[in-house]
Every structure is written in C-alpha cells, then in structure tokens.
Amino acid sequence: MWRRPARAGGGVLFSHRIRLFRLFGIDVRLDASWLLLAALVVWTLADGVFPELAPGLGRQTYWGMAAAGAAGLFASIVFHEMAHALVARRFGIAIRGITLFIFGGVAEMDGEPKSARGELLMALAGPLASTVLAGVMLALTAAIGGTERGAADGVTWYLAIINGALALFNLIPAFPLDGGRVLRAALWAWQGDILKATRIAAGAGNLFGLALIVFGVVDILSGNFVGGMWRFLIGMFVRGAAETSYRQTVAERSFSGVSVAQVMTPDPIALAAEASVAEFVDHVYRYHHRVFPVIRNGALVGQVGTQQAAAIDRSLWPSVPVAEIAVPCRDEEVVDPALDAMAALTRMQRSGITRLFVVGKGRLIGVLGLRDLLELLSTNLDLDGAGIRRSSSADATAGRGRPARWRWSAGSRPGTR
Ligand SMILES: [Zn+2]
C-alpha cells in the first residue's frame, strides 16, 4: 500500500474516521470513504466474481461469501500496513496509526527513514507480508478444496489472488507506491543523493499516475464505468501524492537542522507600546506591512493591525497609544529561536498563520514569515535542478500542504471481473 506523510493525524486527508481497535499498540482506524469501497467490493464479488469462481452455489451463499471476502480484504490491508508500521517502529519511527480509506491503507508515522536501508526494508515489508498471506491463502484453498470449489475455498482463493495483486501493484516502481520507495532507496544508496533519488522516483509516479488516468478514460469510454473511474481517481491521487511527497522531501532537506533563528528576519520593525495610532499608520505606509508587533522594554506585548486602527476615529489617531488597541499574540503565533524551521513551517501549514513572532529570553528578536520559508524552499528547488512542476511550487506547498510522512498502500479495485 502506500505510505504518505501525515501531519496531525492526517486530518487533511480524512474527514470522518473512527477508531476500530488497537493492535501491537497501534490504532487501526476506518475512514468513512472505506465504506464506499467495501460496498463496491461486496457487490462486485456477489454479483460477478464468486458466481464465476465457484459456480452452482445459491444466491444467498454468494452474498455471504462476498461479505467474508470484503472482511478478508480489510484484514489483508491492515496486515500489509501493519508490516510497514512494525518495521518502521524497529527503525525508531513513532507510529500514529493505520487508517483504511477508499484507496487502500495509510500508515502514519512521525518521520522518514534516515537511511536507504531503512527505507528499503520498510518499503518491502508490506508487499512481502501480502505475498506471505497470499501463500497461506493458497495453501488453505488447497487444503479445503475438493473436486468442486465450495464457499470456503472460494473465499480463500479470492483472498490469495487479492493479496498477490496487492503485493504486485504496490511494487510498481512509482513513488509513493512501495515499489517507488524501493526504487528511491536503490538510487539513494547508489548515488548518495536522496533529493535526486526522490525526484526520479516521483517522476515515475507522476508518469504512472498519468497512464492510469488515460487508461481510466479509455475504460470509461468503452463502457466500464466503475473500473475506469477507479483508475482515473487513483491516477489523480498518485500524481498528487508523488508531487507532494517530493516537495515534502525538499522541505525536510532544506530545513532539517536549520533553526528558526537562522531563517528569521532579525530585529523586526516593532512599535513601542506608547507610540500613537498615527505612528502605526505611518509605519503601514512606510514599510508596507499591515500588522506590527507591539513591544514594551523589548518584550512582546501584542500586535496591532489596520483592522484595529480602522475601528478608532481618525481624529483620535494622534492621541491614542497603540497599546490600547493592540491584541495579544496567541501561543501558536510565538516561536522559540531554537525551534526547527521545519516544525515552524508545519505549524504555519496547520494553523494557517503566515507570520510568527520569534521571542528569545523574553524579548522579541525576529519575525518569521511563511513567504521567507517558501522563498528559501523555492530557491532550493531551483538549485536542485528542477521541481516536478516548478511553476506553482511555493503555493502548492503553502496551500495544500498535505500531511507529511505517511505511507500509503493502494488497496483493492472494485469492478474487476
Ligand atoms: Zn505498502
């Protein structure tokens, strides 16, 4: 399956998810979108797959088999993700949980592997687990099976096929699929350059996504609507994931080990608490900022913006001190200079705040704008050669800022006959 970077529990990707159970200390959750997949799978199995696979059984039996098959698919995806997660944990990466959603499963983790070897083993764990499970199901099928296929071995046979398909599909060398991660790890180990390795693997992911989209459209035009739509959507998802993962890697490389103090604008323009609103307005025109920090003896006491000034009668501007109209800064707007720049960027993406006040030893010593971080990022993307799509680099990172660090694995595709 795939893995992708998730921030704060993958809140961006999943809207309605529930916690099902806990296994090896890892929460397993279900996103509401999975129910749509399950319904499609049950319907396809009962209506087409099982009557063909095990002919001559009753209608009701097929529905029962279909329900068992869908449950087995669920367990198979959890098994696959659990393999990724447990290997990740061995490499010291904290696991936030596993979530099943319409396109398969996601193992959310708190970091990326630090070595090519770690990346390789984590990536291979899922497909390997699926292959083993396929073997077990195959053996079960042989053990149960008589001359004619019945309900039980019909289901185990289906699960053998589906687990084999899970292993194979996820091994396609298109980042962020497992196979793409294997490719990345190999290139990384070979050339020692994770950025270049990620760019190539993500480029392959991008092309693969495009191919899925094209095949999907062809499918839809030739009448296979469900299967075609599925390919199309997965293709869109793969392309988005490939690009986001690449940007995420560049961001992490650019900002890892870099502190807020190193990238902030030092000695920011601030207003003394006793300065008048008129002085604030002068500042707005002179420096082209809409908001200024307000300080008293060097300490940050709040901020004042055009909104607050507009609420005051113009005739009072020269006499009212900004301290009177300043609003306090929220905790998440204030950062420590020693904080990791990546953590600051993550905080901005999560909260939507575009400017942070840097306070050290009780004094305001700088400001950190999202724009500054993105410019640095965009410079690095340029220096690195070429982004996948360079034109929109900064905005894409800022706006959509998808969760970092998850591993996605593609699940089953309904509508296969
Ligand atoms: Zn996987």
Side-chain angles (χ1 to χ4, degrees):
M1 318 284 211
W2 330 9
R3 318 33 132 17
R4 286 187 48 168
R7 91 175 156 227
V12 176
L13 187 66
F14 308 115
S15 44
H16 302 285
R17 54 179 190 172
I18 47 163
R19 186 171 156 251
L20 293 181
F21 53 84
R22 208 172 157 80
L23 198 60
F24 303 120
I26 296 170
D27 280 342
V28 176
R29 308 188 191 98
L30 197 69
D31 183 66
S33 62
W34 158 267
L35 298 175
L36 181 59
L37 174 70
L40 280 168
V41 165
V42 169
W43 172 66
T44 320
L45 288 180
D47 195 54
V49 176
F50 284 140
E52 224 168 86
L53 215 59
L57 303 174
R59 189 104 199 92
Q60 240 174 339
T61 312
Y62 289 133
W63 283 104
M65 289 168 73
L73 172 65
F74 171 86
S76 301
I77 297 177
V78 171
F79 189 70
H80 179 114
E81 291 306 331
M82 199 53 92
H84 284 310
L86 292 179
V87 172
R89 199 155 67 179
R90 274 204 77 86
F91 279 90
I93 297 168
I95 308 297
R96 289 191 192 155
I98 287 172
T99 301
L100 269 69
F101 74 125
I102 191 159
F103 293 140
V106 161
E108 294 160 42
M109 33 195 81
D110 262 349
E112 289 276 359
K114 299 276 178 286
S115 67
R117 190 174 153 265
E119 169 85 327
L120 180 73
L121 294 178
M122 270 167 68
L124 285 178
L128 189 67
S130 296
T131 307
V132 169
L133 199 53
V136 170
M137 288 300 142
L138 214 54
L140 268 178
T141 310
I144 302 168
T147 41
E148 277 186 17
R149 190 157 284 139
D153 51 338
V155 172
T156 53
W157 176 237
Y158 161 74
L159 290 176
I161 294 170
I162 209 75
N163 276 288
L166 282 184
L168 282 181
F169 183 80
N170 283 294
L171 278 175
I172 291 170
F175 191 81
L177 282 168
D178 296 334
R181 288 185 176 265
V182 170
L183 174 65
R184 177 168 89 149
L187 291 169
W188 181 7
W190 179 34
Q191 306 209 309
D193 183 349
I194 187 184
L195 269 189
K196 196 174 167 197
T198 308
R199 192 171 64 243
I200 295 170
N206 202 20
L207 280 180
F208 176 62
L210 204 59
L212 281 175
I213 291 172
V214 171
F215 283 126
V217 170
V218 170
D219 264 358
I220 293 171
L221 292 179
S222 60
N224 178 6
F225 184 78
V226 174
M229 205 57 204
W230 203 258
R231 284 214 175 103
F232 181 85
L233 291 175
I234 289 254
M236 299 282 286
F237 185 72
V238 167
R239 294 195 73 200
E243 189 171 329
T244 313
S245 303
Y246 174 63
R247 292 193 189 298
Q248 199 75 37
T249 306
V250 175
E252 269 168 31
R253 297 287 297 178
S254 303
F255 299 138
S256 82
V258 174
S259 68
V260 164
Q262 284 170 279
V263 286
M264 70 182 189
T265 305
D267 305 320
I269 298 149
L271 281 162
E274 52 279 359
S276 67
V277 177
E279 280 175 70
F280 162 73
V281 175
D282 275 350
H283 269 59
V284 171
Y285 286 115
R286 193 178 328 159
Y287 300 108
H288 308 283
H289 286 307
R290 287 160 169 268
V291 175
F292 287 90
V294 177
I295 54 173
R296 181 175 282 132
N297 300 327
L300 180 69
V301 294
Q303 54 184 316
V304 62
T306 44
Q307 227 183 335
Q308 283 85 39
I312 299 278
D313 193 283
R314 262 167 196 267
S315 63
L316 298 174
W317 282 2
S319 56
V320 173
V322 286
E324 240 173 67
I325 60 168
V327 289
C329 301
R330 285 171 290 153
D331 281 349
E332 66 255 34
E333 288 177 296
V334 179
V335 280
D336 190 276
L339 187 76
D340 197 67
M342 188 66 209
L345 178 63
T346 307
R347 191 197 289 192
M348 288 183 189
Q349 290 180 328
R350 190 151 47 202
S351 61
I353 297 170
T354 55
R355 202 163 66 139
L356 301 173
F357 299 110
V358 186
V359 173
K361 297 194 179 114
R363 300 178 71 84
L364 176 72
I365 58 169
V367 292
L368 181 67
L370 178 60
R371 194 169 285 262
D372 303 334
L373 289 176
L374 295 181
E375 260 164 31
L376 176 63
L377 198 57
S378 150
T379 308
N380 284 0
L381 277 167
D382 284 347
L383 288 177
D384 181 46
I388 296 178
R389 247 195 271 150
R390 281 161 70 162
S391 51
S392 62
S393 62
D395 289 335
T397 313
R400 285 184 294 151
R402 286 240 191 80
R405 301 175 212 99
W406 26 297
R407 318 212 120 212
W408 164 66
S409 302
S412 162
R413 170 166 57 99
T416 343
R417 297 257 171 119

